[in-house]
Amino acid sequence: MTNNDIVQKLWNLCDVLRDDGINYSDYVTELVLLLFIKMVHENTEAGTLKKHPLPEGCRWTDLNGKSGINLLNDYKRILLSLSTGKDGDGTLVHDDPLISAIYADAQTRLREPRHLEQMIKTLDQIDWFSAQKDGLGDLYEGLLEKNANETKSGAGQYFTPRALINTMVRCLKPQPGERIQDPAAGTAGFLIAAHEYIKGQTDDLYDLTTEQKAFQTTKAYVGIELVPGTRRLALMNCLLHGMEGDAEGVVHLGNALGQTGAGLAKADVILANPPFGTSKGGDASITRDDLTYKTSNKHLNP
């Protein structure tokens, strides 16, 4: 099963969600909240995800096999627990800031338990590891492209083609120990490609010392993303690739043209494809005082 096949199979669930009153723009968000729980399960079973497990009571096995209103209520409880770290009576469920960041303000708009049950069954039928190479972000970008084609409204964001990302990484040849940043991270495609490139040059990091490995997974990569939903996907994608980042994760939420961008440490390598916004009304969000040229034109600021 190729990635295109998986994207089409996932997109077919749109009819299910539309029957529950969920529109195209909310569909992708609704899907990935459930999809990540499934993929954590698959990666944990395969032994490729050993850190930041989902807490007991909030795993795929806590949903699989259930039906009816109990299933929907359990799913709502799981999303709340993953977001806040506590269950309904205030008992601590987990204290993992990265999981809390991934599920920040997460909630489902599903109203019919049978629709959730159908989504779970569909995800269970997919052979995730037969062809999936680039992770959750690649599937998400495929879904956004599908969304743009189907709705004729555009995805609202531009995702850099994978071939271009890989070419830029090969040209820059990032090295272990370098700090690599993307101020317009999206779903973290550049940062993940850099990590995979370095892994390829170091025998999957086994050539590095323990200290060097820790640097690569927690300090080497930092990105900034303005859109909370896209940042959520970036955090998911990075975690599934073994990239933890700092307390905020690899990708921080904020504006690269504001104080979030100004506060970044100096980088050795910048890998980015900056978006170009309109030239009108763009100065309100630009608060940095270290930009070379003062302008409200977003075409010039990158």
Side-chain angles (χ1 to χ4, degrees):
M1 181 178 288
T2 67
N3 265 0
N4 287 338
D5 293 333
I6 295 175
V7 167
Q8 185 58 53
K9 197 173 186 71
L10 295 176
W11 187 256
N12 289 341
L13 286 172
C14 185
D15 292 333
V16 177
L17 294 172
R18 190 163 55 240
D19 288 342
D20 214 332
I22 297 173
N23 59 32
Y24 279 108
S25 61
D26 292 330
Y27 161 66
V28 175
T29 299
E30 187 73 50
L31 175 61
V32 298
L33 293 175
L34 184 63
L35 183 58
F36 183 69
I37 297 175
K38 171 62 173 175
M39 295 196 70
V40 167
H41 170 77
E42 295 292 346
N43 280 269
T44 302
E45 289 289 300
T48 56
L49 184 63
K50 300 178 181 178
K51 295 184 177 180
H52 303 282
L54 296 182
E56 291 185 12
C58 299
R59 299 170 182 170
W60 186 255
T61 51
D62 296 302
L63 290 171
N64 205 356
K66 294 183 178 179
S67 61
I69 193 62
N70 289 335
L71 170 62
L72 184 57
N73 287 339
D74 273 354
Y75 183 49
K76 291 179 179 179
R77 172 192 57 79
I78 286 173
L79 293 182
L80 179 63
S81 296
L82 292 176
S83 174
T84 64
K86 299 178 181 180
D87 61 17
D89 61 7
T91 302
L92 183 67
V93 174
H94 74 87
D95 58 356
D96 190 329
L98 184 52
I99 295 299
S100 293
I102 287 174
Y103 278 91
D105 302 318
Q107 54 184 321
T108 180
R109 294 183 58 194
L110 286 167
R111 294 172 295 183
E112 292 288 342
R114 58 190 174 88
H115 294 151
L116 176 58
E117 188 174 354
Q118 188 169 347
M119 291 175 67
I120 291 172
K121 287 181 178 178
T122 298
L123 295 183
D124 265 336
Q125 292 168 358
I126 293 175
D127 180 9
W128 293 103
F129 294 98
S130 61
Q132 185 184 338
K133 179 180 178 182
D134 296 310
L136 183 56
D138 192 54
L139 291 178
Y140 182 66
E141 290 161 23
L143 287 169
L144 284 180
E145 182 180 4
K146 191 77 172 175
N147 181 35
N149 292 336
E150 293 288 334
T151 64
K152 309 300 183 185
S153 61
Q157 301 177 53
Y158 176 70
F159 290 90
T160 310
R162 186 68 54 187
L164 178 57
I165 289 176
N166 291 336
T167 298
M168 291 175 64
V169 169
R170 288 195 298 269
C171 287
L172 288 178
K173 296 181 173 62
Q175 299 299 311
E178 291 183 327
R179 294 182 183 272
I180 302 168
Q181 294 178 0
D182 183 351
T187 56
F190 276 112
L191 299 177
I192 289 171
H195 183 57
E196 293 300 310
Y197 176 87
I198 291 174
K199 285 171 62 179
Q201 304 299 311
T202 60
D203 189 21
D204 205 25
L205 304 184
Y206 283 107
D207 291 343
L208 305 181
T209 66
T210 300
E211 184 177 352
Q212 289 172 327
K213 287 181 183 178
F215 176 85
Q216 291 305 130
T217 58
T218 62
K219 297 180 180 180
Y221 312 100
V222 177
I224 296 177
E225 172 54 40
L226 183 64
V227 181
T230 305
R231 187 242 183 174
R232 185 198 306 279
L233 240 295
L235 292 176
M236 291 178 176
N237 204 16
C238 287
L239 182 56
L240 292 173
H241 280 85
M243 302 160 64
E244 300 176 56
D246 57 21
E248 296 182 61
V250 171
V251 178
H252 299 182
L253 182 64
N255 189 348
L257 300 180
Q259 293 309 302
T260 303
L264 286 181
K266 297 296 182 181
D268 299 297
V269 177
I270 298 289
L271 276 163
N273 184 10
F276 292 90
T278 61
S279 60
K280 297 180 180 180
D283 57 336
S285 62
I286 302 170
T287 58
R288 295 180 63 162
D289 57 8
D290 61 341
L291 295 177
T292 303
Y293 183 74
K294 301 296 182 181
T295 177
S296 62
N297 191 325
K298 292 181 181 178
H299 290 76
L300 299 177
N301 275 311

